């Protein structure tokens, strides 16, 4: 499910970049930068999320990241300008930095070999 959540989170806004720019009355390059800020925040936060997951556990990381993802998605739903778009996408990137590697690590720890391969295969398909 985490792979699917990450893909939907990323693609749902990315494919609508042109429409979002039009809706907000902003230039396409500014909106595209805001949309792609998810990738930047995810790259920066991923090592920190890994360290933090070691302290609060995999379940704690998934819950915290899920809450951040939900809150940042609400920000995007009510976004009325480019600053809110940036904030929502940066938050989503931070959330996905905690969700994606934690889910893969959990699959590696919790599932037997045969099930692990299948789970990681489905994760790859979702991505």
């Amino acid at each position: 499910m985490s792979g699917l959540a990450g893909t939907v989170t990323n693609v749902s806004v990315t494919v609508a970049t042109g429409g979002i720019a039009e809706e907000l009355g902003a230039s396409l390059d500014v909106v595209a930068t805001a949309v792609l800020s998810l990738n930047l925040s995810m790259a920066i936060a991923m090592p920190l999320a890994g360290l933090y997951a070691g302290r609060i556990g995999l379940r704690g990381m998934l819950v915290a990241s899920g809450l951040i993802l939900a809150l940042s998605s609400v920000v995007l739903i009510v976004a009325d300008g480019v600053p809110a778009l940036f904030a929502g996408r940066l938050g989503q990137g931070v959330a996905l930095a905690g969700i994606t590697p934690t889910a893969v690590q959990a699959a590696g720890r919790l599932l037997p070999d045969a099930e692990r391969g299948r789970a990681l295969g489905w994760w790859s398909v979702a991505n």
Side-chain angles (χ1 to χ4, degrees), residues 16-57:
T17 302
I20 293 169
E22 187 176 315
E23 178 76 21
L24 296 178
S27 68
L28 182 59
D29 59 335
V30 170
V31 171
T33 302
V35 167
L36 293 175
S37 68
L38 174 146
N39 302 89
L40 176 64
S41 64
M42 187 174 178
I44 292 169
M46 197 171 285
L48 301 173
L51 291 171
Y52 196 59
R55 293 183 180 182
I56 66 170

Side-chain angles (χ1 to χ4, degrees), residues 39-111:
N39 302 89
L40 176 64
S41 64
M42 187 174 178
I44 292 169
M46 197 171 285
L48 301 173
L51 291 171
Y52 196 59
R55 293 183 180 182
I56 66 170
L58 299 178
R59 182 186 308 255
M61 178 54 72
L62 288 174
V63 169
S65 297
L67 290 172
I68 294 168
L69 183 59
L71 290 173
S72 57
S73 296
V74 168
V75 168
L76 289 174
I77 290 169
V78 299
D80 61 350
V82 174
L85 180 61
F86 265 108
R89 291 299 277 181
L90 289 170
Q92 286 183 329
V94 169
L96 293 179
I99 290 172
T100 305
T102 303
V104 171
Q105 185 179 20
R109 285 180 160 179
L110 301 174
L111 299 174

